[in-house]
Amino acid sequence: MSEVATAADRPPSRLGRDLPAAISVGVALGVVIVASLWFIRELFIVVVAVAVAVSTWELAGALRRGGGIKVSLWPALIGGQAMLWLAWPLGALGVVAAAATTMLACMLWRMPDGPDNFLRDVSASMFTVAYVPFFAAFAAMLVLPLDGTQRVLTWMLCVVASDVGGYAAGVLAGRHPMAPNISPKKSWEGFAGSLIAGSVAGAICVSELLHGDWRLGAPLGALLVAAATIGDLIESLIKRDLGLKDMGSLLPGHGGLMDRMDSMLPTALVAWVLLSTFVPTAP
């Protein structure tokens, strides 16, 4: 009896999604990314560019469907590509310059439609530009050093470990909701599982892939877990505000591509800052 009551009291788990489809899609995405890194690491920027274009389109569509918000889509799409490709020769300077130009273009694009909801639409355009291509540009910058393949793998393996560890711990032991008003499926037990898995992955990756100190890798992994969790909660807030279950329907078992990018986007920024600061690039 107590066992039944305990199970009923648990927050909803993530078992409701199509798990085989989700795993298949995740593996397929991983194969595409690893293949791009394996052959010519700069091909990874192409993968990021495609993901950014699709995610920007999905987010703009979700804002339109859920809130009647009109994003300056073409400036966001073109400017987003400029951020990624200018990161290659110019680094952070190119990303910032392209982002500022894109934001100005979004304002100008919206002007002919008049003053009604101008601030709302422009603010949403700015958010879209910052949330998707600007954050993703840091993933592109991760791959630019000679050991860029290892840096990208470190970032991605930590995030994947966080997701797997959190899912397993949440399903097996999740009883205390982390943010019930935002994401009822997230539990503190799941977060603890993410922290453990992410920290272990960070220690191993920094030590074995980047030949750094594992004692730097463990907190790196933990910070990436925190950033991934924040990214997940932010997207949950957006979807709840808009009254949507998913950003799109492109990926079976996942929703839209944007539903998979939620944790990757903020962690790309954190990974680039921390690895650039504490783990020297290969000579």
Side-chain angles (χ1 to χ4, degrees), residues 9 17-18 28 39 81 84 92 96 117 125 135 149 171 187 189 217 221 249 253:
D9 290 340
R17 68 179 179 177
D18 187 346
F39 291 106
Q81 295 301 304
L84 297 174
V96 171
N117 297 316
S125 298
F135 280 169
T149 294
V171 168
S187 66
E189 291 82 1
S249 57

Side-chain angles (χ1 to χ4, degrees), residues 44-266:
F44 176 69
I45 302 177
V46 177
V47 176
V48 175
V50 172
V52 163
V54 173
S55 298
T56 300
W57 187 280
E58 287 182 342
L59 180 55
L63 291 168
R64 183 184 65 254
R65 295 193 310 274
I69 300 169
K70 186 177 181 180
V71 171
S72 300
L73 183 57
W74 286 108
L77 286 171
I78 296 170
Q81 295 301 304
M83 287 180 226
L84 297 174
W85 293 106
L86 287 177
W88 191 348
L90 300 179
L93 176 62
V95 173
V96 171
T101 303
T102 302
M103 291 179 183
L104 177 59
C106 288
M107 295 183 210
L108 296 174
W109 187 270
R110 178 59 179 75
M111 284 178 65
D113 289 338
D116 291 345
N117 297 316
F118 177 81
L119 184 59
R120 181 201 68 180
D121 293 344
V122 168
S123 298
S125 298
M126 302 287 189
F127 173 76
T128 300
V129 168
Y131 189 38
V132 183
F134 183 72
F135 280 169
F138 290 92
M141 288 193 290
L142 274 173
V143 82
L144 297 180
L146 292 179
D147 59 350
T149 294
Q150 292 89 330
R151 289 172 181 266
V152 171
L153 289 175
T154 296
W155 159 56
M156 297 197 68
L157 288 172
C158 287
V159 176
V160 170
S162 169
D163 191 39
V164 173
Y167 177 77
V171 168
L172 294 173
R175 290 177 176 82
H176 300 89
M178 173 182 282
N181 294 328
I182 301 174
S183 181
K185 297 177 183 179
K186 283 197 171 297
S187 66
W188 285 108
E189 291 82 1
F191 181 65
S194 290
L195 277 177
I196 293 170
S199 298
V200 171
I204 294 173
C205 289
V206 168
S207 174
E208 299 301 319
L209 295 179
L210 296 173
H211 309 294
D213 191 334
W214 69 268
R215 289 171 294 185
L216 291 174
L220 166 71
L223 288 172
L224 288 177
V225 168
T229 303
I230 291 170
D232 195 21
L233 291 174
I234 287 173
E235 195 189 29
S236 293
L237 277 171
I238 296 169
K239 290 189 287 191
R240 284 186 174 275
D241 187 24
L242 296 175
L244 300 175
K245 182 179 183 295
D246 293 313
M247 290 290 188
S249 57
L250 179 65
L251 305 177
H254 288 275
L257 184 59
M258 188 64 206
D259 294 291
R260 297 307 304 156
M261 294 280 282
D262 55 357
S263 59
M264 304 302 294
L265 291 167

